[in-house]
Amino acid sequence: MGLDSKQVALLVLLVASVISVVIALILSLVKSSEVPLPPGTKYGMVFDAGSSHTSLFIYQWPTDKENNTGVVSQTHVCDVEGPGISSYANDPPSAGKSLVACLEEAMNIIPPEGQRGAPAYLGATAGMRLLDLKNKTASDMVLSEVSKTISRYPVDFRGARIISGKEEGSYGWITINYLLESFMKYSFGGRWVRPVSSKIYGALDLGGASTQISFIPKVEIADPEQRADFKLYGFPYSIYTHSFLCYGQNQALKQMLVKAVEGKDLSQPINIPCYPAGYKSTIAQASLYNSPCTVKSAPSSSLVQDITITGTGNSTQCQDLLKTIYDFSSCTGKEFCSFEGIYQPPVVGKFFAFSAFFYTFDFLNLTSGQDLPTVKSRIQTFCAQDWTELQASFPKERTDRLREYCANANYVLTLLLDAYKFNENNWNSISFMKQAADTDIGWTLGYMLNLTNMIPSEASASVRTQSYDVWIAAVFFIVLTLALGLLMLVLYFR
Ligand SMILES: *[C@@H]1O[C@H](CO)[C@@H](O)[C@H](O)[C@H]1NC(C)=O
Ligand SMILES: *[C@@H]1O[C@H](CO)[C@@H](O)[C@H](O)[C@H]1NC(C)=O
Ligand SMILES: *[C@@H]1O[C@H](CO)[C@@H](O)[C@H](O)[C@H]1NC(C)=O
Ligand SMILES: *[C@@H]1O[C@H](CO)[C@@H](O)[C@H](O)[C@H]1NC(C)=O
């Protein structure tokens, strides 16, 4: 039983109208997201003045979208020659001079018309926090010299300062989640939505002089000292964050050496299980106690001796030695506690471990999600290698670094397992990463985003949240209704 020509015409009309309604709806979705003008590009730069070195990060973003998440990207990194700025305590002007080469490089990268409007910052971390404790005059002079140098360049310089451990932890956490678009996500139809099941990552940062842990715990954060609250894109976040001064890699190893020589006859060689088997060197006794992290352990006698140390390359003993640098006893009787009596709720969710966590594990090829037993056994094998063989296997590696991978790797293990209390079950929730979205992970991006107000605390009009999903559902419902109507019409004519 066929349809007559009138019925065919009606059907064609109906199909055509359904198609045009669908097209109109799709167009209305897409239209509002269209980029109206070719956007200009803005630049910004941040010096990360760490304890052992300084890096300059240059960022760029399209001006018309500056309040959107995920649009700031890294243009360039410049590594400053020489040590961290805190090492210039006795010669502050040289701290300023050390930045010149990277500033010149930046001026070649940022086009002249973009320079005046480019916000520029210098943030100093734990190395300068320690210098500030040791000699405030010296740290002020260093900051003033680096400021003088940066001020000579035609950028919008907004100051050099020492950032607090809490800021360092918070900005690292913001950087990761901004780059992974955990706050807002660019979605179908060109709108910004908050991901429905917000996948927020925790941050694990390891520097030379301090280490930071930041995450959103399952439980209410009981100690306001370790809590940071902020509102991003209209949503409140409360994160746990703590920075341990003296527990960055270099200061931790200094503490380890202090423990190793404690109560020993220093005229005899001292065995260090964290250095490779067969490694031997002489260190000045005074060099062990020249930091605020170890000065309290200095013996009262004069520190004139040279100490001979010999590596034994034993991971198990190395971890036992490293565990003695943490004060776990202050946590006795406390339910949620890492060390030094510091409150820490149980770690939960996924984490990114970056900076020295990444560099150490990357050298050992341990960044591809290996399980904990594999990691432990790889570190054990590496440490047991003879120093001469090790040097032959890695002829390009700097000797002072090569010597310390065994110690650093074991330090990472004790910090994550014994201090922060990760375990075999949640070990694989940690990703060892250097970058996300082609941008280095660290505190600098979060710092710049916050200080330039590029993460508004209120959601802008263009940001849709749940209502966007309702909108999608409505479109779907309309299309479904029309299709059903059409089907019924066809059946009716039959
Ligand atoms: C970004 O946000 C700030 C403050 O919330 C506002 O002044 C500025 O106009 C916004 N910029 C754009 C491109 O939306
Ligand atoms: C602190 O640093 C300044 C500047 O380098 C130096 O002149 C002074 O002697 C130092 N003070 C101490 C106590 O080391
Ligand atoms: C890591 O892997 C590379 C390439 O396979 C290899 O050359 C290097 O020796 C490995 N490093 C270690 C510490 O095993
Ligand atoms: C960001 O800056 C604002 C001031 O502009 C400050 O109140 C807020 O605490 C900062 N956010 C973080 C995470 O430090």
Side-chain angles (χ1 to χ4, degrees):
M1 46 186 275
L3 304 170
D4 65 30
S5 60
K6 233 162 107 187
Q7 290 169 326
V8 169
L10 196 60
L11 253 183
V12 168
L13 201 69
L14 264 168
V15 170
S17 58
V18 167
I19 289 174
S20 51
V21 165
V22 170
I23 288 175
L25 282 170
I26 289 175
L27 277 182
S28 78
L29 261 174
V30 173
K31 215 176 79 191
S32 61
S33 73
E34 269 170 3
V35 183
L37 292 166
T41 302
K42 258 189 105 166
Y43 294 85
M45 51 195 240
V46 186
F47 278 101
D48 175 355
S51 61
S52 52
H53 75 279
T54 301
S55 299
L56 171 61
F57 294 91
I58 302 176
Y59 300 106
Q60 69 175 64
W61 60 93
T63 19
D64 65 326
K65 290 195 195 162
E66 66 183 4
N67 293 343
N68 287 341
T69 187
V71 301
V72 178
S73 62
Q74 183 172 305
T75 313
H76 187 72
V77 196
C78 179
D79 286 314
V80 170
E81 283 280 323
I85 59 170
S86 56
S87 315
Y88 295 98
N90 297 320
D91 179 16
S94 293
K97 281 185 209 121
S98 74
L99 308 183
V100 167
C102 279
L103 283 161
E104 293 293 341
E105 207 169 298
M107 295 307 107
N108 288 329
I109 286 164
I110 305 178
E113 66 274 15
Q115 293 173 1
R116 291 251 167 238
Y121 304 90
L122 182 143
T125 52
M128 286 293 282
R129 273 174 228 143
L130 289 175
L131 179 60
D132 205 52
L133 291 175
K134 205 169 151 184
N135 185 340
K136 176 129 178 56
T137 317
S139 85
D140 287 346
M141 282 168 73
V142 166
L143 286 178
S144 126
E145 288 295 334
V146 296
S147 297
K148 252 196 255 170
T149 302
I150 304 173
S151 307
R152 283 193 216 112
Y153 288 80
V155 289
D156 178 13
F157 178 49
R158 304 194 187 173
R161 53 181 284 263
I162 301 173
I163 66 166
S164 71
K166 199 169 183 173
E167 285 179 282
E168 195 177 358
S170 302
Y171 292 132
W173 182 88
I174 288 178
T175 299
I176 291 175
N177 289 296
Y178 176 87
L179 291 173
L180 298 176
E181 303 193 342
S182 324
F183 301 132
M184 283 291 155
K185 204 166 183 60
Y186 197 63
S187 103
F188 169 73
R191 290 175 195 243
W192 293 93
V193 296
R194 188 185 192 212
V196 178
S197 55
S198 267
K199 269 200 291 172
I200 305 277
Y201 285 77
L204 297 164
D205 188 359
L206 180 59
S210 72
T211 181
Q212 287 74 238
I213 176 169
S214 314
F215 64 102
I216 300 184
K218 263 232 161 70
V219 298
E220 189 78 21
I221 303 165
D223 181 355
E225 282 292 302
Q226 331 299 347
R227 194 178 71 206
D229 298 292
F230 25 75
K231 214 170 164 195
L232 311 169
Y233 302 102
F235 293 93
Y237 296 90
S238 210
I239 68 167
Y240 169 85
T241 182
H242 187 78
S243 173
F244 287 97
L245 192 58
C246 298
Y247 288 85
Q249 239 172 212
N250 303 334
Q251 293 298 325
L253 295 201
K254 205 184 263 282
Q255 294 195 62
M256 177 274 287
L257 286 174
V258 164
K259 292 287 181 190
V261 304
E262 219 165 59
K264 299 275 167 61
D265 173 5
L266 299 185
S267 62
Q268 299 298 314
I270 308 290
N271 283 340
I272 308 287
C274 299
Y275 285 144
Y279 173 81
K280 195 171 173 184
S281 77
T282 304
I283 52 173
Q285 191 185 12
S287 73
L288 294 182
Y289 305 102
N290 63 1
S291 152
C293 301
T294 50
V295 69
K296 289 190 200 84
S297 311
S300 48
S301 56
S302 62
L303 308 169
V304 291
Q305 257 177 305
D306 278 342
I307 307 173
T308 302
I309 55 173
T310 49
T312 59
N314 183 317
S315 271
T316 313
Q317 288 172 13
C318 173
Q319 284 168 34
D320 288 343
L321 175 60
L322 283 165
K323 282 180 209 172
T324 65
I325 74 170
Y326 304 98
D327 163 19
F328 289 122
S329 62
S330 307
C331 279
T332 318
K334 295 191 179 177
E335 190 187 7
F336 297 141
C337 191
S338 47
F339 60 101
E340 286 184 342
I342 298 296
Y343 168 81
Q344 186 212 294
V347 287
V348 62
K350 291 192 179 296
F351 282 81
F352 269 25
F354 47 97
S355 47
F357 281 120
F358 173 82
Y359 294 119
T360 300
F361 270 35
D362 184 47
F363 178 80
L364 296 169
N365 297 328
L366 289 174
T367 57
S368 36
Q370 286 92 341
D371 60 13
L372 187 54
T374 309
V375 168
K376 282 182 171 169
S377 88
R378 177 92 48 96
I379 292 173
Q380 192 158 22
T381 314
F382 177 81
C383 287
Q385 278 183 89
D386 183 78
W387 177 235
T388 321
E389 278 170 35
L390 202 55
Q391 282 176 295
S393 311
F394 299 95
K396 291 204 185 108
E397 196 67 21
R398 263 170 52 184
T399 314
D400 57 337
R401 294 217 181 119
L402 191 58
R403 174 191 71 179
E404 287 184 345
Y405 283 115
C406 166
N408 285 335
N410 280 302
Y411 178 57
V412 166
L413 284 182
T414 62
L415 184 61
L416 294 176
L417 301 174
D418 299 288
Y420 296 155
K421 315 218 165 26
F422 283 91
N423 55 45
E424 198 162 328
N425 299 324
N426 58 17
W427 175 261
N428 287 96
S429 66
I430 309 173
S431 305
F432 292 84
M433 306 276 269
K434 174 184 161 68
Q435 289 199 322
D438 293 328
T439 296
D440 287 53
I441 304 169
W443 59 268
T444 51
L445 176 57
Y447 186 69
M448 184 190 77
L449 290 173
N450 190 52
L451 295 185
T452 53
N453 286 319
M454 269 198 281
I455 301 189
S457 55
E458 296 307 326
S460 72
S462 67
V463 173
R464 305 264 171 158
T465 54
Q466 281 84 349
S467 63
Y468 178 65
D469 298 330
V470 174
W471 170 241
I472 294 266
V475 171
F476 182 72
F477 185 72
I478 291 167
V479 171
L480 193 69
T481 311
L482 281 169
L484 274 176
L486 188 64
L487 189 68
M488 281 167 76
L489 264 174
V490 170
L491 289 177
Y492 173 79
F493 281 121
R494 287 180 161 221

